[in-house]
């Protein structure tokens, strides 16, 4: 049996009220500025993770999850998972939207969101954190 397939995955600071998702607004880098030489913990009020799957020939329940790791491999946000169900319709689309509140970054560099389907990583979303000292 073939599927399900991930067809889209991205991160935004929020989903607009009109639900239109221009590509230019996907979050790839979180830029912070401060008075110190190095990054002190910085918080983003919320991040929204958007995932889209197509069932292919798959029917039944599946578990969608996400794990969040910083450049050192440590978790920067608790892992999440939820169960979805693909009906008997070929190529059924399921969209999963998750909002993460009060996300704190403690390191500069690439942070990863590992998207899982039935415990298997199907993609990794990079989120770069940069920091510049005010002059």
């Amino acid at each position: 049996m073939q599927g399900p397939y991930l067809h889209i995955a991205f991160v935004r600071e929020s989903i607009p009220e009109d639900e239109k998702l221009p590509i230019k607004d996907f979050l790839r880098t979180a830029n912070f500025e401060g008075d110190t030489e190095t990054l002190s913990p910085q918080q983003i009020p919320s991040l929204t993770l958007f995932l889209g799957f197509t069932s292919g020939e798959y029917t039944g329940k599946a578990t969608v999850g996400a794990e969040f790791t910083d450049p050192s491999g440590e978790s920067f946000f608790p892992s999440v998972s939820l169960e979805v169900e693909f009906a008997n319709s070929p190529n059924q689309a399921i969209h999963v939207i998750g909002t993460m509140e009060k996300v704190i970054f403690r390191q500069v560099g690439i942070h990863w969101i590992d998207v899982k389907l039935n415990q298997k990583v199907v993609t990794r979303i990079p989120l770069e954190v940069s920091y510049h000292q005010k002059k």
Side-chain angles (χ1 to χ4, degrees):
M1 194 169 281
Q2 299 291 325
Y5 304 102
L6 177 71
H7 67 255
I8 191 165
F10 62 86
V11 177
R12 290 180 50 97
E13 285 196 53
S14 64
I15 299 291
E17 287 184 26
D18 64 5
E19 296 184 3
K20 293 181 181 176
L21 302 171
I23 290 176
K24 66 179 179 155
D25 292 338
F26 294 173
L27 187 61
R28 296 182 322 172
T29 304
N31 297 304
F32 297 105
E33 185 177 78
D35 296 323
T36 60
E37 221 174 272
T38 59
L39 177 75
S40 59
Q42 298 290 321
Q43 179 178 299
I44 291 181
S46 70
L47 290 177
T48 300
L49 175 63
F50 183 95
L51 306 172
F53 292 91
T54 302
S55 63
E57 297 174 2
Y58 186 92
T59 59
K61 294 181 180 182
T63 302
V64 175
E67 291 183 0
F68 308 86
T69 54
D70 65 21
S72 68
E74 298 293 320
S75 175
F76 71 92
F77 194 83
S79 297
V80 295
S81 68
L82 66 99
E83 197 170 86
V84 297
E85 187 161 358
F86 294 93
N88 290 332
S89 170
N91 288 322
Q92 173 194 8
I94 290 182
H95 296 139
V96 177
I97 300 172
T99 301
M100 301 157 289
E101 302 289 334
K102 299 179 182 176
V103 180
I104 297 174
F105 297 99
R106 291 179 170 79
Q107 294 182 24
V108 298
I110 304 294
H111 292 61
W112 292 99
I113 301 171
D114 289 345
V115 176
K116 294 184 172 188
L117 183 65
N118 294 330
Q119 306 302 316
K120 180 181 176 190
V121 175
V122 292
T123 196
R124 300 184 86 202
I125 303 171
L127 176 57
E128 183 175 7
V129 172
S130 70
Y131 177 77
H132 302 284
Q133 184 177 8
K134 293 179 188 176
K135 294 183 181 187

